[in-house]
Amino acid sequence: MHNKTLAELSQALRNGECSSLELTQHFLTRIQQHNPTLNCCVSITEEQALEQAKAADQRIQAGTAEALTGIPLIHKDIFCTQGIKTSCGSKMLDNFIAPYNATVVEKLNAAGMVTLGKANMDEFAMGSSNETSYYGPVKNPWDTDRVPGGSSGGSAAAVAARLAPVATGTDTGGSIRQPAALCGITGLKPTYGRVSRYGMIAFASSLDQGGPMTRTAEDAALLLNSMAGFDPRDSTCMDQAVPDYTASLNKDLSGLKIGLPKEYFSHGLSAEMGAALETAIDELKKQGAEVKDISLPNTHLAVPAYYVVAPAECSSNLSRFDGVRFGYRCEAPTDLEDLYKRSRGEGFGAEVKRRIMIGAYALSAGYYDAYYLKAQQLRHLISDDFKQAFTEVDVILGPTSPTPAFNIGEKADDPVTMYLSDIYTIAVNLAGLPGMSIPAGQINGLPVGLQLIGNYFDESRLLNIAHRYQQATTWHQQTPPAFA
Ligand code: GLN
């Protein structure tokens, strides 16, 4: 049952081959069995899941079910879930029970989905390995000595290990795509403004975007159909109609123009990674796509620009955690200043503090122009590179991550090396474009991700290419041997 995709399970529910209650119980059992090894879930919401499953079964019987009704999922613990702990991977929110649902949660609840639990993640989504979580590292199901990627590492590991058919994630600089690549699943970061950020705990508001983490492009399309759409409670959410993302999945690829940025295929890319991508490109060519060499000349500026903009926004967003209104409060504060200092000092982990300090520095008087403003200018140059590229090609193809999953601890003491894990994903967030990672090979038994970058609101095209690729290949069907 756990090897079926969302699309297949949806069919099975409708045909009466199983009930949502059976499905939910099956996945809850798998979580109980494997979570002690993987540490991918920080909360398991069994009671609510069983209730939602029963309600879903009634809908199925009454004939009012939608495609997602009765399908279990796991939410990244950055999405507020009413009455359920929402920790964002931090000691700061270890005691926080959300009083309302994020729009994404509300929409998926309304579609009849069943929440199995909340996924572990890097603290406040800051990280590329899931090692910054207050709840300890998540293990990669392909090799438990290795990281699953981050920050949506719990979501990626859970889907890869078949502990849930699908999960939600968020991506500020690569946090859906990079863990999807390292765990061998499919992950889509939509265009900025496509999915509501309401109730999604803010890291860097101008970059954050929620999206689906699934095994197949078809499942990502089904999930995005319900996640996307205008929300008056998020002023940056676009009031633009949501197409049916499943409608164009099968469109043939003849005439499709794929751009290969020379900066993505240069010396930084290993020979094995390059070879895996070549094979994938050949498959797309076989289906009628044409490839063209392009250039994104400001690629090297993306990581430095991001590590000014993201910390600046995080320092502002995280100032709300002050020990007064909600979250962690230190023991026996002597005065207000002591309360602020110790609550924040004890509640936040090292990476979060590092970012707050960098951000506060970059925004301070006298430094704003030199750092923040400069970074915003670089952001324009990076967006202009993509604008130019999309006058020549329909889609851009490259690697998702420079390496497959690395060992736990390997980069933990070296923030700069860690930051470079997102070298291929970060520019997409700075420009606000949609990006997707799909499994496209293996190196020494570890999955390799291929990234597709589209023009604004061109998610349908990314899903179409990914689906056609998955119809012709089996990388997305590979299962970590210990979790088959
Ligand atoms: N790894 C990047 C960071 O640490 C991106 C994280 C994300 O996308 N949330 O900031």
Side-chain angles (χ1 to χ4, degrees), residues 359-382:
Y361 179 82
L363 290 175
S364 57
Y367 295 106
Y368 180 90
D369 291 346
Y371 295 106
Y372 188 71
L373 205 64
K374 242 321 168 252
Q376 292 290 20
Q377 287 162 346
L378 298 185
R379 199 169 172 179
H380 269 280
L381 294 178
I382 290 160

mmCIF file with all atom_site columns, all heavy atoms in Angstrom, residues 359-382:
data_model
loop_
_atom_site.group_PDB
_atom_site.id
_atom_site.type_symbol
_atom_site.label_atom_id
_atom_site.label_alt_id
_atom_site.label_comp_id
_atom_site.label_asym_id
_atom_site.label_entity_id
_atom_site.label_seq_id
_atom_site.pdbx_PDB_ins_code
_atom_site.Cartn_x
_atom_site.Cartn_y
_atom_site.Cartn_z
_atom_site.occupancy
_atom_site.B_iso_or_equiv
_atom_site.pdbx_formal_charge
_atom_site.auth_seq_id
_atom_site.auth_comp_id
_atom_site.auth_asym_id
_atom_site.auth_atom_id
_atom_site.pdbx_PDB_model_num
ATOM 1   N N   . GLY A 1 359 ? 22.291 39.691 10.094  1.00 0.00 ? 359 GLY A N   1
ATOM 2   C CA  . GLY A 1 359 ? 21.201 40.518 9.575   1.00 0.00 ? 359 GLY A CA  1
ATOM 3   C C   . GLY A 1 359 ? 21.111 41.852 10.283  1.00 0.00 ? 359 GLY A C   1
ATOM 4   O O   . GLY A 1 359 ? 20.955 42.901 9.640   1.00 0.00 ? 359 GLY A O   1
ATOM 5   N N   . ALA A 1 360 ? 21.217 41.839 11.607  1.00 0.00 ? 360 ALA A N   1
ATOM 6   C CA  . ALA A 1 360 ? 21.120 43.090 12.361  1.00 0.00 ? 360 ALA A CA  1
ATOM 7   C C   . ALA A 1 360 ? 22.285 44.013 11.983  1.00 0.00 ? 360 ALA A C   1
ATOM 8   O O   . ALA A 1 360 ? 22.118 45.230 11.834  1.00 0.00 ? 360 ALA A O   1
ATOM 9   C CB  . ALA A 1 360 ? 21.133 42.801 13.866  1.00 0.00 ? 360 ALA A CB  1
ATOM 10  N N   . TYR A 1 361 ? 23.433 43.418 11.761  1.00 0.00 ? 361 TYR A N   1
ATOM 11  C CA  . TYR A 1 361 ? 24.609 44.197 11.356  1.00 0.00 ? 361 TYR A CA  1
ATOM 12  C C   . TYR A 1 361 ? 24.382 44.824 9.976   1.00 0.00 ? 361 TYR A C   1
ATOM 13  O O   . TYR A 1 361 ? 24.583 46.024 9.779   1.00 0.00 ? 361 TYR A O   1
ATOM 14  C CB  . TYR A 1 361 ? 25.828 43.267 11.334  1.00 0.00 ? 361 TYR A CB  1
ATOM 15  C CG  . TYR A 1 361 ? 27.118 43.914 10.905  1.00 0.00 ? 361 TYR A CG  1
ATOM 16  C CD1 . TYR A 1 361 ? 27.885 44.651 11.816  1.00 0.00 ? 361 TYR A CD1 1
ATOM 17  C CD2 . TYR A 1 361 ? 27.584 43.779 9.604   1.00 0.00 ? 361 TYR A CD2 1
ATOM 18  C CE1 . TYR A 1 361 ? 29.072 45.252 11.427  1.00 0.00 ? 361 TYR A CE1 1
ATOM 19  C CE2 . TYR A 1 361 ? 28.772 44.369 9.209   1.00 0.00 ? 361 TYR A CE2 1
ATOM 20  C CZ  . TYR A 1 361 ? 29.519 45.105 10.111  1.00 0.00 ? 361 TYR A CZ  1
ATOM 21  O OH  . TYR A 1 361 ? 30.685 45.682 9.716   1.00 0.00 ? 361 TYR A OH  1
ATOM 22  N N   . ALA A 1 362 ? 23.915 43.992 9.027   1.00 0.00 ? 362 ALA A N   1
ATOM 23  C CA  . ALA A 1 362 ? 23.732 44.480 7.653   1.00 0.00 ? 362 ALA A CA  1
ATOM 24  C C   . ALA A 1 362 ? 22.669 45.568 7.563   1.00 0.00 ? 362 ALA A C   1
ATOM 25  O O   . ALA A 1 362 ? 22.687 46.391 6.649   1.00 0.00 ? 362 ALA A O   1
ATOM 26  C CB  . ALA A 1 362 ? 23.377 43.322 6.724   1.00 0.00 ? 362 ALA A CB  1
ATOM 27  N N   . LEU A 1 363 ? 21.738 45.583 8.498   1.00 0.00 ? 363 LEU A N   1
ATOM 28  C CA  . LEU A 1 363 ? 20.657 46.575 8.453   1.00 0.00 ? 363 LEU A CA  1
ATOM 29  C C   . LEU A 1 363 ? 20.975 47.812 9.288   1.00 0.00 ? 363 LEU A C   1
ATOM 30  O O   . LEU A 1 363 ? 20.213 48.783 9.278   1.00 0.00 ? 363 LEU A O   1
ATOM 31  C CB  . LEU A 1 363 ? 19.354 45.964 8.970   1.00 0.00 ? 363 LEU A CB  1
ATOM 32  C CG  . LEU A 1 363 ? 18.683 44.911 8.082   1.00 0.00 ? 363 LEU A CG  1
ATOM 33  C CD1 . LEU A 1 363 ? 17.465 44.323 8.792   1.00 0.00 ? 363 LEU A CD1 1
ATOM 34  C CD2 . LEU A 1 363 ? 18.265 45.509 6.741   1.00 0.00 ? 363 LEU A CD2 1
ATOM 35  N N   . SER A 1 364 ? 22.076 47.799 10.028  1.00 0.00 ? 364 SER A N   1
ATOM 36  C CA  . SER A 1 364 ? 22.307 48.904 10.967  1.00 0.00 ? 364 SER A CA  1
ATOM 37  C C   . SER A 1 364 ? 22.765 50.169 10.229  1.00 0.00 ? 364 SER A C   1
ATOM 38  O O   . SER A 1 364 ? 23.300 50.112 9.117   1.00 0.00 ? 364 SER A O   1
ATOM 39  C CB  . SER A 1 364 ? 23.314 48.488 12.038  1.00 0.00 ? 364 SER A CB  1
ATOM 40  O OG  . SER A 1 364 ? 24.509 48.075 11.440  1.00 0.00 ? 364 SER A OG  1
ATOM 41  N N   . ALA A 1 365 ? 22.544 51.301 10.878  1.00 0.00 ? 365 ALA A N   1
ATOM 42  C CA  . ALA A 1 365 ? 22.869 52.600 10.277  1.00 0.00 ? 365 ALA A CA  1
ATOM 43  C C   . ALA A 1 365 ? 24.329 52.605 9.858   1.00 0.00 ? 365 ALA A C   1
ATOM 44  O O   . ALA A 1 365 ? 25.200 52.150 10.586  1.00 0.00 ? 365 ALA A O   1
ATOM 45  C CB  . ALA A 1 365 ? 22.604 53.711 11.292  1.00 0.00 ? 365 ALA A CB  1
ATOM 46  N N   . GLY A 1 366 ? 24.580 53.081 8.654   1.00 0.00 ? 366 GLY A N   1
ATOM 47  C CA  . GLY A 1 366 ? 25.965 53.154 8.194   1.00 0.00 ? 366 GLY A CA  1
ATOM 48  C C   . GLY A 1 366 ? 26.356 51.927 7.380   1.00 0.00 ? 366 GLY A C   1
ATOM 49  O O   . GLY A 1 366 ? 27.240 51.990 6.540   1.00 0.00 ? 366 GLY A O   1
ATOM 50  N N   . TYR A 1 367 ? 25.706 50.800 7.627   1.00 0.00 ? 367 TYR A N   1
ATOM 51  C CA  . TYR A 1 367 ? 26.051 49.588 6.888   1.00 0.00 ? 367 TYR A CA  1
ATOM 52  C C   . TYR A 1 367 ? 24.973 49.193 5.886   1.00 0.00 ? 367 TYR A C   1
ATOM 53  O O   . TYR A 1 367 ? 25.202 48.382 5.005   1.00 0.00 ? 367 TYR A O   1
ATOM 54  C CB  . TYR A 1 367 ? 26.295 48.419 7.849   1.00 0.00 ? 367 TYR A CB  1
ATOM 55  C CG  . TYR A 1 367 ? 27.494 48.652 8.723   1.00 0.00 ? 367 TYR A CG  1
ATOM 56  C CD1 . TYR A 1 367 ? 27.352 48.966 10.062  1.00 0.00 ? 367 TYR A CD1 1
ATOM 57  C CD2 . TYR A 1 367 ? 28.780 48.584 8.181   1.00 0.00 ? 367 TYR A CD2 1
ATOM 58  C CE1 . TYR A 1 367 ? 28.449 49.208 10.860  1.00 0.00 ? 367 TYR A CE1 1
ATOM 59  C CE2 . TYR A 1 367 ? 29.885 48.826 8.967   1.00 0.00 ? 367 TYR A CE2 1
ATOM 60  C CZ  . TYR A 1 367 ? 29.718 49.138 10.311  1.00 0.00 ? 367 TYR A CZ  1
ATOM 61  O OH  . TYR A 1 367 ? 30.808 49.376 11.074  1.00 0.00 ? 367 TYR A OH  1
ATOM 62  N N   . TYR A 1 368 ? 23.780 49.755 6.076   1.00 0.00 ? 368 TYR A N   1
ATOM 63  C CA  . TYR A 1 368 ? 22.639 49.413 5.234   1.00 0.00 ? 368 TYR A CA  1
ATOM 64  C C   . TYR A 1 368 ? 22.980 49.554 3.746   1.00 0.00 ? 368 TYR A C   1
ATOM 65  O O   . TYR A 1 368 ? 22.782 48.634 2.953   1.00 0.00 ? 368 TYR A O   1
ATOM 66  C CB  . TYR A 1 368 ? 21.457 50.310 5.617   1.00 0.00 ? 368 TYR A CB  1
ATOM 67  C CG  . TYR A 1 368 ? 20.207 50.079 4.826   1.00 0.00 ? 368 TYR A CG  1
ATOM 68  C CD1 . TYR A 1 368 ? 19.259 49.156 5.259   1.00 0.00 ? 368 TYR A CD1 1
ATOM 69  C CD2 . TYR A 1 368 ? 19.968 50.781 3.648   1.00 0.00 ? 368 TYR A CD2 1
ATOM 70  C CE1 . TYR A 1 368 ? 18.101 48.939 4.526   1.00 0.00 ? 368 TYR A CE1 1
ATOM 71  C CE2 . TYR A 1 368 ? 18.815 50.563 2.914   1.00 0.00 ? 368 TYR A CE2 1
ATOM 72  C CZ  . TYR A 1 368 ? 17.889 49.657 3.352   1.00 0.00 ? 368 TYR A CZ  1
ATOM 73  O OH  . TYR A 1 368 ? 16.748 49.441 2.631   1.00 0.00 ? 368 TYR A OH  1
ATOM 74  N N   . ASP A 1 369 ? 23.527 50.716 3.380   1.00 0.00 ? 369 ASP A N   1
ATOM 75  C CA  . ASP A 1 369 ? 23.845 50.960 1.963   1.00 0.00 ? 369 ASP A CA  1
ATOM 76  C C   . ASP A 1 369 ? 24.923 50.007 1.458   1.00 0.00 ? 369 ASP A C   1
ATOM 77  O O   . ASP A 1 369 ? 24.867 49.526 0.330   1.00 0.00 ? 369 ASP A O   1
ATOM 78  C CB  . ASP A 1 369 ? 24.326 52.402 1.755   1.00 0.00 ? 369 ASP A CB  1
ATOM 79  C CG  . ASP A 1 369 ? 23.192 53.392 1.952   1.00 0.00 ? 369 ASP A CG  1
ATOM 80  O OD1 . ASP A 1 369 ? 22.024 52.943 1.981   1.00 0.00 ? 369 ASP A OD1 1
ATOM 81  O OD2 . ASP A 1 369 ? 23.466 54.590 2.086   1.00 0.00 ? 369 ASP A OD2 1
ATOM 82  N N   . ALA A 1 370 ? 25.899 49.755 2.308   1.00 0.00 ? 370 ALA A N   1
ATOM 83  C CA  . ALA A 1 370 ? 27.035 48.935 1.883   1.00 0.00 ? 370 ALA A CA  1
ATOM 84  C C   . ALA A 1 370 ? 26.643 47.471 1.713   1.00 0.00 ? 370 ALA A C   1
ATOM 85  O O   . ALA A 1 370 ? 27.193 46.778 0.869   1.00 0.00 ? 370 ALA A O   1
ATOM 86  C CB  . ALA A 1 370 ? 28.169 49.043 2.899   1.00 0.00 ? 370 ALA A CB  1
ATOM 87  N N   . TYR A 1 371 ? 25.707 46.991 2.509   1.00 0.00 ? 371 TYR A N   1
ATOM 88  C CA  . TYR A 1 371 ? 25.371 45.564 2.450   1.00 0.00 ? 371 TYR A CA  1
ATOM 89  C C   . TYR A 1 371 ? 23.965 45.304 1.913   1.00 0.00 ? 371 TYR A C   1
ATOM 90  O O   . TYR A 1 371 ? 23.789 44.707 0.856   1.00 0.00 ? 371 TYR A O   1
ATOM 91  C CB  . TYR A 1 371 ? 25.532 44.924 3.839   1.00 0.00 ? 371 TYR A CB  1
ATOM 92  C CG  . TYR A 1 371 ? 26.963 44.929 4.303   1.00 0.00 ? 371 TYR A CG  1
ATOM 93  C CD1 . TYR A 1 371 ? 27.385 45.808 5.294   1.00 0.00 ? 371 TYR A CD1 1
ATOM 94  C CD2 . TYR A 1 371 ? 27.907 44.073 3.730   1.00 0.00 ? 371 TYR A CD2 1
ATOM 95  C CE1 . TYR A 1 371 ? 28.714 45.832 5.716   1.00 0.00 ? 371 TYR A CE1 1
ATOM 96  C CE2 . TYR A 1 371 ? 29.229 44.084 4.133   1.00 0.00 ? 371 TYR A CE2 1
ATOM 97  C CZ  . TYR A 1 371 ? 29.622 44.959 5.128   1.00 0.00 ? 371 TYR A CZ  1
ATOM 98  O OH  . TYR A 1 371 ? 30.930 44.976 5.523   1.00 0.00 ? 371 TYR A OH  1
ATOM 99  N N   . TYR A 1 372 ? 22.948 45.761 2.645   1.00 0.00 ? 372 TYR A N   1
ATOM 100 C CA  . TYR A 1 372 ? 21.581 45.387 2.277   1.00 0.00 ? 372 TYR A CA  1
ATOM 101 C C   . TYR A 1 372 ? 21.212 45.935 0.891   1.00 0.00 ? 372 TYR A C   1
ATOM 102 O O   . TYR A 1 372 ? 20.735 45.201 0.020   1.00 0.00 ? 372 TYR A O   1
ATOM 103 C CB  . TYR A 1 372 ? 20.588 45.865 3.340   1.00 0.00 ? 372 TYR A CB  1
ATOM 104 C CG  . TYR A 1 372 ? 19.200 45.345 3.097   1.00 0.00 ? 372 TYR A CG  1
ATOM 105 C CD1 . TYR A 1 372 ? 18.910 43.997 3.297   1.00 0.00 ? 372 TYR A CD1 1
ATOM 106 C CD2 . TYR A 1 372 ? 18.197 46.167 2.620   1.00 0.00 ? 372 TYR A CD2 1
ATOM 107 C CE1 . TYR A 1 372 ? 17.647 43.491 3.042   1.00 0.00 ? 372 TYR A CE1 1
ATOM 108 C CE2 . TYR A 1 372 ? 16.927 45.674 2.360   1.00 0.00 ? 372 TYR A CE2 1
ATOM 109 C CZ  . TYR A 1 372 ? 16.663 44.338 2.578   1.00 0.00 ? 372 TYR A CZ  1
ATOM 110 O OH  . TYR A 1 372 ? 15.419 43.837 2.313   1.00 0.00 ? 372 TYR A OH  1
ATOM 111 N N   . LEU A 1 373 ? 21.479 47.213 0.701   1.00 0.00 ? 373 LEU A N   1
ATOM 112 C CA  . LEU A 1 373 ? 21.128 47.838 -0.578  1.00 0.00 ? 373 LEU A CA  1
ATOM 113 C C   . LEU A 1 373 ? 21.905 47.192 -1.729  1.00 0.00 ? 373 LEU A C   1
ATOM 114 O O   . LEU A 1 373 ? 21.355 46.913 -2.787  1.00 0.00 ? 373 LEU A O   1
ATOM 115 C CB  . LEU A 1 373 ? 21.437 49.338 -0.501  1.00 0.00 ? 373 LEU A CB  1
ATOM 116 C CG  . LEU A 1 373 ? 20.626 50.201 -1.454  1.00 0.00 ? 373 LEU A CG  1
ATOM 117 C CD1 . LEU A 1 373 ? 19.141 50.138 -1.122  1.00 0.00 ? 373 LEU A CD1 1
ATOM 118 C CD2 . LEU A 1 373 ? 21.101 51.663 -1.374  1.00 0.00 ? 373 LEU A CD2 1
ATOM 119 N N   . LYS A 1 374 ? 23.181 46.953 -1.499  1.00 0.00 ? 374 LYS A N   1
ATOM 120 C CA  . LYS A 1 374 ? 24.016 46.293 -2.511  1.00 0.00 ? 374 LYS A CA  1
ATOM 121 C C   . LYS A 1 374 ? 23.432 44.915 -2.866  1.00 0.00 ? 374 LYS A C   1
ATOM 122 O O   . LYS A 1 374 ? 23.310 44.554 -4.035  1.00 0.00 ? 374 LYS A O   1
ATOM 123 C CB  . LYS A 1 374 ? 25.398 46.068 -1.930  1.00 0.00 ? 374 LYS A CB  1
ATOM 124 C CG  . LYS A 1 374 ? 26.634 46.698 -2.517  1.00 0.00 ? 374 LYS A CG  1
ATOM 125 C CD  . LYS A 1 374 ? 26.765 46.784 -3.969  1.00 0.00 ? 374 LYS A CD  1
ATOM 126 C CE  . LYS A 1 374 ? 27.905 47.676 -4.385  1.00 0.00 ? 374 LYS A CE  1
ATOM 127 N NZ  . LYS A 1 374 ? 27.497 48.947 -4.957  1.00 0.00 ? 374 LYS A NZ  1
ATOM 128 N N   . ALA A 1 375 ? 23.061 44.172 -1.826  1.00 0.00 ? 375 ALA A N   1
ATOM 129 C CA  . ALA A 1 375 ? 22.515 42.830 -2.056  1.00 0.00 ? 375 ALA A CA  1
ATOM 130 C C   . ALA A 1 375 ? 21.226 42.910 -2.875  1.00 0.00 ? 375 ALA A C   1
ATOM 131 O O   . ALA A 1 375 ? 20.991 42.087 -3.766  1.00 0.00 ? 375 ALA A O   1
ATOM 132 C CB  . ALA A 1 375 ? 22.270 42.127 -0.726  1.00 0.00 ? 375 ALA A CB  1
ATOM 133 N N   . GLN A 1 376 ? 20.406 43.932 -2.593  1.00 0.00 ? 376 GLN A N   1
ATOM 134 C CA  . GLN A 1 376 ? 19.159 44.088 -3.366  1.00 0.00 ? 376 GLN A CA  1
ATOM 135 C C   . GLN A 1 376 ? 19.471 44.417 -4.830  1.00 0.00 ? 376 GLN A C   1
ATOM 136 O O   . GLN A 1 376 ? 18.758 43.987 -5.739  1.00 0.00 ? 376 GLN A O   1
ATOM 137 C CB  . GLN A 1 376 ? 18.272 45.189 -2.760  1.00 0.00 ? 376 GLN A CB  1
ATOM 138 C CG  . GLN A 1 376 ? 17.691 44.831 -1.400  1.00 0.00 ? 376 GLN A CG  1
ATOM 139 C CD  . GLN A 1 376 ? 16.630 43.738 -1.453  1.00 0.00 ? 376 GLN A CD  1
ATOM 140 O OE1 . GLN A 1 376 ? 16.545 42.970 -2.410  1.00 0.00 ? 376 GLN A OE1 1
ATOM 141 N NE2 . GLN A 1 376 ? 15.826 43.629 -0.413  1.00 0.00 ? 376 GLN A NE2 1
ATOM 142 N N   . GLN A 1 377 ? 20.550 45.167 -5.034  1.00 0.00 ? 377 GLN A N   1
ATOM 143 C CA  . GLN A 1 377 ? 20.941 45.474 -6.428  1.00 0.00 ? 377 GLN A CA  1
ATOM 144 C C   . GLN A 1 377 ? 21.401 44.207 -7.148  1.00 0.00 ? 377 GLN A C   1
ATOM 145 O O   . GLN A 1 377 ? 21.058 43.974 -8.304  1.00 0.00 ? 377 GLN A O   1
ATOM 146 C CB  . GLN A 1 377 ? 22.050 46.546 -6.441  1.00 0.00 ? 377 GLN A CB  1
ATOM 147 C CG  . GLN A 1 377 ? 21.507 47.928 -6.087  1.00 0.00 ? 377 GLN A CG  1
ATOM 148 C CD  . GLN A 1 377 ? 22.595 48.919 -5.674  1.00 0.00 ? 377 GLN A CD  1
ATOM 149 O OE1 . GLN A 1 377 ? 23.732 48.553 -5.395  1.00 0.00 ? 377 GLN A OE1 1
ATOM 150 N NE2 . GLN A 1 377 ? 22.228 50.191 -5.622  1.00 0.00 ? 377 GLN A NE2 1
ATOM 151 N N   . LEU A 1 378 ? 22.166 43.382 -6.435  1.00 0.00 ? 378 LEU A N   1
ATOM 152 C CA  . LEU A 1 378 ? 22.609 42.122 -7.035  1.00 0.00 ? 378 LEU A CA  1
ATOM 153 C C   . LEU A 1 378 ? 21.400 41.255 -7.385  1.00 0.00 ? 378 LEU A C   1
ATOM 154 O O   . LEU A 1 378 ? 21.377 40.566 -8.411  1.00 0.00 ? 378 LEU A O   1
ATOM 155 C CB  . LEU A 1 378 ? 23.516 41.342 -6.084  1.00 0.00 ? 378 LEU A CB  1
ATOM 156 C CG  . LEU A 1 378 ? 24.826 42.017 -5.669  1.00 0.00 ? 378 LEU A CG  1
ATOM 157 C CD1 . LEU A 1 378 ? 25.659 41.063 -4.823  1.00 0.00 ? 378 LEU A CD1 1
ATOM 158 C CD2 . LEU A 1 378 ? 25.622 42.438 -6.896  1.00 0.00 ? 378 LEU A CD2 1
ATOM 159 N N   . ARG A 1 379 ? 20.404 41.323 -6.518  1.00 0.00 ? 379 ARG A N   1
ATOM 160 C CA  . ARG A 1 379 ? 19.193 40.543 -6.751  1.00 0.00 ? 379 ARG A CA  1
ATOM 161 C C   . ARG A 1 379 ? 18.562 40.915 -8.096  1.00 0.00 ? 379 ARG A C   1
ATOM 162 O O   . ARG A 1 379 ? 18.084 40.041 -8.834  1.00 0.00 ? 379 ARG A O   1
ATOM 163 C CB  . ARG A 1 379 ? 18.244 40.854 -5.595  1.00 0.00 ? 379 ARG A CB  1
ATOM 164 C CG  . ARG A 1 379 ? 17.186 39.869 -5.416  1.00 0.00 ? 379 ARG A CG  1
ATOM 165 C CD  . ARG A 1 379 ? 16.464 40.081 -4.113  1.00 0.00 ? 379 ARG A CD  1
ATOM 166 N NE  . ARG A 1 379 ? 15.315 39.194 -4.119  1.00 0.00 ? 379 ARG A NE  1
ATOM 167 C CZ  . ARG A 1 379 ? 14.453 39.088 -3.139  1.00 0.00 ? 379 ARG A CZ  1
ATOM 168 N NH1 . ARG A 1 379 ? 14.599 39.798 -2.052  1.00 0.00 ? 379 ARG A NH1 1
ATOM 169 N NH2 . ARG A 1 379 ? 13.439 38.259 -3.224  1.00 0.00 ? 379 ARG A NH2 1
ATOM 170 N N   . HIS A 1 380 ? 18.588 42.211 -8.412  1.00 0.00 ? 380 HIS A N   1
ATOM 171 C CA  . HIS A 1 380 ? 18.077 42.656 -9.706  1.00 0.00 ? 380 HIS A CA  1
ATOM 172 C C   . HIS A 1 380 ? 18.886 42.077 -10.857 1.00 0.00 ? 380 HIS A C   1
ATOM 173 O O   . HIS A 1 380 ? 18.327 41.645 -11.862 1.00 0.00 ? 380 HIS A O   1
ATOM 174 C CB  . HIS A 1 380 ? 18.090 44.189 -9.787  1.00 0.00 ? 380 HIS A CB  1
ATOM 175 C CG  . HIS A 1 380 ? 16.805 44.765 -9.309  1.00 0.00 ? 380 HIS A CG  1
ATOM 176 N ND1 . HIS A 1 380 ? 15.696 44.808 -10.105 1.00 0.00 ? 380 HIS A ND1 1
ATOM 177 C CD2 . HIS A 1 380 ? 16.452 45.287 -8.122  1.00 0.00 ? 380 HIS A CD2 1
ATOM 178 C CE1 . HIS A 1 380 ? 14.700 45.332 -9.411  1.00 0.00 ? 380 HIS A CE1 1
ATOM 179 N NE2 . HIS A 1 380 ? 15.131 45.636 -8.196  1.00 0.00 ? 380 HIS A NE2 1
ATOM 180 N N   . LEU A 1 381 ? 20.210 42.103 -10.708 1.00 0.00 ? 381 LEU A N   1
ATOM 181 C CA  . LEU A 1 381 ? 21.068 41.577 -11.781 1.00 0.00 ? 381 LEU A CA  1
ATOM 182 C C   . LEU A 1 381 ? 20.755 40.098 -12.015 1.00 0.00 ? 381 LEU A C   1
ATOM 183 O O   . LEU A 1 381 ? 20.676 39.635 -13.156 1.00 0.00 ? 381 LEU A O   1
ATOM 184 C CB  . LEU A 1 381 ? 22.552 41.728 -11.413 1.00 0.00 ? 381 LEU A CB  1
ATOM 185 C CG  . LEU A 1 381 ? 23.093 43.155 -11.297 1.00 0.00 ? 381 LEU A CG  1
ATOM 186 C CD1 . LEU A 1 381 ? 24.565 43.119 -10.879 1.00 0.00 ? 381 LEU A CD1 1
ATOM 187 C CD2 . LEU A 1 381 ? 22.942 43.885 -12.630 1.00 0.00 ? 381 LEU A CD2 1
ATOM 188 N N   . ILE A 1 382 ? 20.566 39.368 -10.906 1.00 0.00 ? 382 ILE A N   1
ATOM 189 C CA  . ILE A 1 382 ? 20.287 37.926 -11.001 1.00 0.00 ? 382 ILE A CA  1
ATOM 190 C C   . ILE A 1 382 ? 18.941 37.702 -11.702 1.00 0.00 ? 382 ILE A C   1
ATOM 191 O O   . ILE A 1 382 ? 18.814 36.864 -12.593 1.00 0.00 ? 382 ILE A O   1
ATOM 192 C CB  . ILE A 1 382 ? 20.341 37.293 -9.596  1.00 0.00 ? 382 ILE A CB  1
ATOM 193 C CG1 . ILE A 1 382 ? 21.801 37.289 -9.113  1.00 0.00 ? 382 ILE A CG1 1
ATOM 194 C CG2 . ILE A 1 382 ? 19.743 35.896 -9.581  1.00 0.00 ? 382 ILE A CG2 1
ATOM 195 C CD1 . ILE A 1 382 ? 21.978 37.142 -7.619  1.00 0.00 ? 382 ILE A CD1 1
#
